[in-house]
């Protein structure tokens, strides 16, 4: 590729990134899940920015939800990026809570983050979730009895898929399974704890990777079959939105100009 062709491509990318948007910013408020979501009229500060952004936090079982709109001057070739983090935690084998975080940046239209944040908020708050049933169905798979003098050890599978002693009384810990959904990879290990052994399911997803990780206290609970059963439960009860354990089925979008530039580069390489 010639020097002039390279300069032209860099110019087009720069032109795409410098388009100013109108974004709502400095908007932050909390609200309770038991009340209706109402967007406040006080969130009316509009600025020109390179990207619009939003941060959402949903807490089910305890605490308040957070809705926040921001803006950024940094540039990106992506029209939107939607990062999700979720954690379902079981405390004392009886109390269940779920937190779901959504981080948004976009540049495809004015106030795109606000529009997307409103859509995501309404969609998540309208999902029917029965945590009592979720807890009851998860219990035989991932919740085990506390270690005692009579029940002295927790056995887990290691990275070689061999059963071994993970924790012995009075120490505390959990079996761990980590699933990289995008590469269909499963890792197994033992995780010690200084406090109460953790029982949790953590989910992460962005434009390039998705993961689903379990900490459990039942003997030999970090298997593929238990992973599949837990995924099925969370999908049936609207915690995840795909059978393989993703928090959303949505994907990011690449700008039309970038696609045209890629086609242009391919055409130039073909001519050469």
């Amino acid at each position: 590729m010639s020097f002039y062709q390279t300069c032209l491509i860099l110019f087009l990318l720069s032109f795409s990134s410098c388009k100013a948007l109108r974004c709502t910013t400095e908007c932050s408020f909390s609200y309770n899940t038991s009340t209706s979501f109402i967007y406040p009229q006080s969130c009316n500060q509009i600025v020109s920015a390179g990207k619009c952004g939003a941060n959402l936090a949903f807490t089910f079982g305890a605490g308040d939800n957070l809705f926040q709109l921001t803006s950024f001057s940094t540039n990106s070739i992506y029209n939107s990026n939607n990062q999700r983090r979720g954690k379902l935690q079981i405390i004392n084998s009886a109390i269940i809570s779920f937190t779901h975080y959504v981080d948004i940046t976009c540049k495809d239209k004015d106030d795109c983050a606000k529009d997307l944040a409103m859509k995501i908020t309404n969609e998540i708050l309208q999902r029917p979730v029965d945590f009592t049933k979720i807890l009851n169905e998860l219990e035989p798979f991932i919740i085990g009895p506390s270690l005692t003098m009579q029940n002295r050890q927790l056995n887990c599978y290691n990275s070689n898929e061999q059963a071994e002693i993970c924790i012995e009384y009075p120490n505390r810990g959990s079996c761990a399974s980590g699933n990289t959904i995008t590469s269909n990879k499963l890792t197994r290990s033992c995780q010690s704890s200084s406090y109460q052994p953790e029982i949790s399911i953590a989910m992460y997803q962005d434009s390039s990777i998705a993961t689903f990780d379990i900490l459990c206290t039942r003997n030999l609970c970090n298997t593929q079959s238990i992973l599949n059963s837990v995924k099925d439960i969370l999908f049936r009860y609207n915690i995840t939105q795909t059978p393989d354990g993703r928090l959303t089925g949505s994907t990011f979008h690449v700008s039309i100009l970038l696609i045209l530039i890629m086609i242009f580069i391919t055409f130039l390489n073909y001519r050469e």
Side-chain angles (χ1 to χ4, degrees):
M1 188 183 302
S2 71
F3 172 78
Y4 298 105
Q5 292 169 343
T6 303
C7 289
L8 175 61
I9 292 169
L10 292 175
F11 170 76
L12 291 172
L13 285 171
S14 175
F15 177 80
S16 170
S17 300
C18 292
K19 179 183 177 182
L21 298 172
R22 289 173 56 82
C23 304
T24 301
T25 192
E26 302 298 327
C27 169
S28 180
F29 61 94
S30 60
Y31 60 97
N32 194 280
T33 307
S34 61
T35 60
S36 299
F37 171 73
I38 300 175
Y39 184 79
Q41 295 181 351
S42 58
C43 284
N44 55 12
Q45 183 175 341
I46 307 294
V47 297
S48 294
K51 291 191 295 184
C52 303
N55 305 103
L56 310 176
F58 305 92
T59 305
F60 300 89
D64 290 336
N65 300 327
L66 172 69
F67 186 100
Q68 183 176 16
L69 297 177
T70 55
S71 59
F72 305 92
S73 59
T74 54
N75 298 316
S76 169
I77 62 175
Y78 299 112
N79 272 354
S80 63
N81 184 42
N82 187 341
Q83 182 189 97
R84 304 271 185 132
R85 291 167 286 130
K87 188 171 186 178
L88 188 147
Q89 193 157 10
I90 300 171
I91 304 168
N92 296 327
S93 301
I95 302 172
I96 187 169
S97 66
F98 176 60
T99 52
H100 186 165
Y101 301 95
V102 183
D103 301 318
I104 300 166
T105 56
C106 59
K107 52 178 290 185
D108 54 325
K109 64 177 182 178
D110 288 340
D111 241 350
C112 52
K114 175 185 173 182
D115 293 346
L116 188 54
M118 295 279 287
K119 178 181 177 181
I120 291 173
T121 297
N122 288 318
E123 185 267 325
I124 288 178
L125 294 181
Q126 289 173 8
R127 292 182 192 172
V129 180
D130 190 328
F131 287 104
T132 300
K133 290 184 178 180
I134 292 174
L135 181 60
N136 290 337
E137 292 203 28
L138 287 176
E139 191 275 334
F141 295 107
I142 65 173
I143 303 175
S146 300
L147 296 186
T148 64
M149 289 292 293
Q150 291 72 37
N151 177 41
R152 296 189 58 86
Q153 65 189 40
L154 173 67
N155 300 313
C156 305
Y157 287 104
N158 60 24
S159 57
N160 296 320
E161 301 184 29
Q162 296 175 336
E164 64 179 15
I165 298 174
C166 170
I167 299 294
E168 289 191 271
Y169 179 83
N171 297 316
R172 299 172 178 177
S174 311
C175 298
S177 58
N179 176 218
T180 304
I181 299 171
T182 41
S183 61
N184 197 28
K185 181 181 179 182
L186 177 63
T187 59
R188 302 170 178 87
S189 62
C190 167
Q191 181 169 307
S192 60
S193 173
S194 301
Y195 304 99
Q196 190 74 14
E198 184 172 349
I199 305 173
S200 65
I201 304 165
M203 295 143 280
Y204 176 84
Q205 182 178 349
D206 63 22
S207 58
S208 59
I209 193 170
T211 59
F212 191 100
D213 303 324
I214 299 175
L215 290 176
C216 51
T217 57
R218 183 171 288 273
N219 270 322
L220 303 177
C221 57
N222 55 342
T223 65
Q224 181 70 58
S225 62
I226 288 180
L227 172 73
N228 294 341
S229 296
V230 171
K231 285 184 177 182
D232 177 66
I233 293 168
L234 298 196
F235 178 62
R236 285 191 287 107
Y237 286 104
N238 297 305
I239 296 295
T240 56
Q241 295 298 291
T242 64
D244 61 359
R246 299 171 195 253
L247 288 165
T248 178
S250 304
T251 57
F252 70 99
H253 303 285
V254 180
S255 67
I256 295 298
L257 181 57
L258 178 61
I259 295 175
L260 293 176
I261 291 172
M262 294 170 66
I263 294 174
F264 179 62
I265 293 174
T266 303
F267 173 73
L268 291 178
N269 290 336
Y270 176 77
R271 289 193 61 184
E272 293 176 356

